[in-house]
Amino acid sequence: MDEDKALFPPVDPFSAGVRGCCPRCGQGRLFNGLLKVRPACTNCGLDYSFADSGDGPVVFVLLIVGFIVVGIALWAEVNYALPLWLHFILWIPLAIGLGLWLTRILKGLLITLQYRNNARPGEIDRG
């Protein structure tokens, strides 16, 4: 990541990440589609090659969505004894939709925090 020479007002990384906006200017779009990161900001030209969220957001999404969906499904089964086909119709789309929505939010948040903290891969200190 090159040194940032432009003067931009500070952007809150949490609001920019949740909205999917550029971590430097807060105006340009971070995503090209649902989860694919753009090559650069359309507004300020920031190169997004530094952005590597890896598997971090997906792990948290699996844990959070699994807890929510399984908890609601168990509650519905105990209280209402729903038929199996209704469980499939209710919980599979909910898990997919909630998972994709939360993955986009957490991925944007992680990328904006990487920019804010100037995060980069670890290096070995050779002394």
Side-chain angles (χ1 to χ4, degrees), residues 64-105:
I64 293 168
V65 170
F67 178 77
I68 291 171
V69 171
V70 169
I72 295 172
L74 287 174
W75 175 82
E77 178 61 32
V78 168
N79 289 323
Y80 300 110
L82 301 175
L84 188 59
W85 63 269
L86 189 55
H87 279 292
F88 285 127
I89 290 174
L90 291 174
W91 310 125
I92 291 175
L94 179 66
I96 292 171
L98 191 60
L100 288 173
W101 175 73
L102 197 56
T103 300
R104 180 181 169 98
I105 289 175

Side-chain angles (χ1 to χ4, degrees), residues 40-76:
C41 178
T42 56
N43 191 41
C44 69
L46 174 66
D47 183 22
Y48 291 148
S49 63
F50 71 91
D52 181 23
S53 61
D55 293 335
V58 177
V59 171
F60 288 111
V61 166
L62 285 172
L63 293 172
I64 293 168
V65 170
F67 178 77
I68 291 171
V69 171
V70 169
I72 295 172
L74 287 174
W75 175 82

